[in-house]
């Protein structure tokens, strides 16, 4: 403890903060990547006027709360305070729409990755570029706003992501890590910046709208991992830590998206490796050896924080419906005067799922709280079905909700594995769904029929990943990113590897056949919900 206290007081530590969908996490690490302390704050998106969003003030309230919680942990554990560090990194949910005017005023509510309101723009841009432009991407939101003739467009001076926005406010620098930038606009992996041909195509295509800006002038500058991205200003230090303990001058790494930090946190940035993040959303990131043979609407093409091509199989919905049911079970227990802590409740219910039938007893569930592009839904409506002859019990109930959490993502993975014949030598899982050991891991490994590994840091995910990228600033002159992760961070890491289960795999494939046929039911439920 005395050694860690000395490291903190000397500033030989690094902070990583990630703004996730339901929780903002902060971690403090040493030079070897060991987590010394953690903190966090819960928050939740809201559906306002048909837009999934977060309030701008809440970004800072919850960010300060997460940092304060980290500081509290440090004070209680090490009897000292954080005044400076070797590095700091900001990560957040990728994609979305955050436009600002020349005075830094936000011009429209933050449109998150969860929105499926840009289908016209997505389809037109995909056709123009012959490159997949999903509805979540910033460029799809921008073009849709043009198609909608929104009044704020002439005032745009800067367009960025959530991570880019926070980083800008802390440092004054309008930059973005290449992984996060690849979810705004297509990247040229040779120049390690935006694809200039497509930039020119876009500018030409929107010329009739007579905007006072060109696309390249409003996007953040692209930086790869290991490049310094500005320093914490005096105002930025106060914004993050109103107590005044944190001092300005700390170097920040390029801000990254949660997909990129997940790749770092699992050491999956080499070709043929991949990782799966499972929380509010579920997405698989597979590092490619070459470009895919054609455009698939079910797959994004993004990059690692070092700029390598990645295929991303993304599903907007994963754990939200499970959380709702677990909360209901908790309320039921409280009604009978039984108090069970939330973590224990999740663990017991998840373990129960392993006792269910391989095909979930023919139960069917869709946890679509928001729209899901992979199945053609612009809006969501959770649905649970138990046919008369189904085996309706707790084990099957929990199992079907775990099965369906990965259903939409599996559609994209099937394309990579079965159609593109992409070879995957290793895949690691991280995120809140993997907290209960060996349950979601077993189901997902079996669903994909690929061994799945997790590490002890799986639940800390991207906050640890961005901390590692900030720590890399100190090593980038001696190592490339792959070497740094292999030789410095993961050299002694123990992997918990789960092999696919043949019976579960067969049951999951049977479930997916019914899952596909039942999408029409959800579509009707959405229509009823709208009416």
């Amino acid at each position: 403890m005395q050694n860690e206290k000395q490291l903190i007081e000397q500033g030989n530590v690094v902070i990583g903060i990630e703004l996730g969908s339901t929780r903002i996490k902060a971690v403090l690490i040493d030079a070897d990547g060991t987590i010394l302390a953690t903190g966090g704050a819960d928050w939740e998106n809201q559906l306002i006027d048909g837009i999934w969003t977060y309030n701008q003030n809440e970004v800072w309230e919850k960010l300060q709360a997460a940092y304060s919680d980290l500081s509290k942990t440090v004070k209680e554990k090490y009897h000292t305070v954080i005044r400076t560090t070797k590095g700091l990194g900001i990560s957040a949910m990728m994609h979305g729409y955050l436009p600002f005017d020349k005075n830094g005023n936000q011009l429209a509510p933050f449109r998150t990755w969860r929105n499926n309101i840009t289908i016209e723009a997505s389809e037109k841009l995909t056709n123009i570029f012959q490159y997949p432009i999903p509805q979540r991407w910033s460029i799809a939101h921008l073009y849709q706003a043009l198609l909608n003739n929104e009044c704020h467009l002439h005032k745009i001076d800067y367009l960025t992501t959530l991570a880019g926005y926070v980083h800008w406010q802390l440092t004054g620098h309008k930059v973005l890590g290449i992984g996060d930038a690849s979810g705004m606009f297509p990247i040229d992996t040779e120049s390690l910046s935006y694809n200039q041909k497509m930039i020119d195509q876009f500018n030409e295509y929107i010329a009739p709208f007579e905007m006072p800006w060109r696309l390249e002038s409003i996007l953040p500058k692209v930086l790869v991992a290991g490049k310094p991205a500005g320093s914490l200003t005096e105002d930025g230090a106060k914004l993050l830590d109103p107590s005044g303990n944190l001092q300005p001058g700390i170097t920040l790494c390029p801000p990254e998206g949660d997909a990129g930090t997940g790749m770092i946190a699992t050491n999956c940035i080499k070709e043929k490796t991949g990782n799966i993040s499972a929380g509010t959303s579920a997405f698989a990131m597979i590092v490619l050896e070459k470009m895919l043979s054609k455009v698939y609407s079910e797959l994004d093409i993004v990059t690692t924080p070092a700029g390598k091509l990645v295929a991303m199989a993304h599903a907007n919905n994963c754990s939200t419906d499970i959380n709702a049911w677990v909360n209901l079970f908790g309320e039921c227990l409280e009604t009978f005067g039984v108090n069970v802590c939330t973590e224990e409740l999740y663990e017991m219910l998840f373990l129960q799922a392993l006792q269910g039938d391989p095909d979930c007893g023919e139960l069917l569930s869709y946890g679509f709280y928001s729209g899901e592009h992979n199945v053609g839904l612009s809006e969501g409506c959770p649905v649970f079905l138990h046919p008369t002859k189904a085996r309706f019990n707790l084990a099957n109930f929990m199992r079907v909700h775990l099965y369906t959490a990965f259903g939409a993502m599996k559609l994209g993975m099937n394309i990579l594995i079965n159609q593109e014949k992409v070879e995957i030598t290793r895949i690691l899982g991280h995120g809140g769904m993997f907290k209960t050991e060996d349950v979601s891991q077993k189901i997902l490994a079996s669903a994909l029929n690929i061994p799945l590994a997790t590490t002890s840091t799986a639940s800390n995910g991207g906050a640890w990943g961005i901390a590692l990228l900030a720590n890399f600033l100190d090593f980038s002159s001696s190592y490339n990113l792959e070497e740094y992760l292999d030789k410095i961070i993961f050299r002694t890491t123990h992997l918990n590897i789960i092999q696919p289960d043949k019976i579960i795999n067969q049951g999951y494939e049977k479930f997916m056949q019914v899952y596909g046929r039942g999408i029409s039911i959800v579509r009707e439920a959405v229509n009823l919900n709208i009416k």
Side-chain angles (χ1 to χ4, degrees), residues 107-168:
L107 294 172
F110 175 32
R111 299 168 192 177
T112 77
W113 57 271
R114 202 171 192 178
N115 291 286
N116 282 256
I117 56 176
T118 66
I119 187 165
E120 183 181 2
S122 172
E123 289 177 350
K124 286 186 175 180
L125 292 177
T126 297
N127 184 56
I128 292 166
F129 297 150
Q130 286 301 295
Y131 193 95
I133 305 295
Q135 292 193 57
R136 305 182 304 283
W137 281 30
S138 306
I139 191 62
H141 280 283
L142 177 63
Y143 185 49
Q144 190 66 51
L146 285 163
L147 294 175
N148 295 345
N149 196 29
E150 297 187 30
C151 60
H152 70 271
L153 290 163
H154 283 82
K155 300 177 184 177
I156 294 179
D157 182 69
Y158 185 43
L159 178 64
T160 190
T161 64
L162 182 56
Y165 164 63
V166 172
H167 182 95
W168 170 37

Side-chain angles (χ1 to χ4, degrees), residues 121-134 137 185-186 195 197-198 201 291-297 299 301:
S122 172
E123 289 177 350
K124 286 186 175 180
L125 292 177
T126 297
N127 184 56
I128 292 166
F129 297 150
Q130 286 301 295
Y131 193 95
I133 305 295
W137 281 30
F185 193 86
N195 186 300
K197 178 183 176 183
M198 294 180 192
Q201 285 177 304
M291 189 64 175
L292 300 181
S293 64
K294 64 178 184 178
V295 173
Y296 297 95
S297 62
L299 296 169
I301 299 298

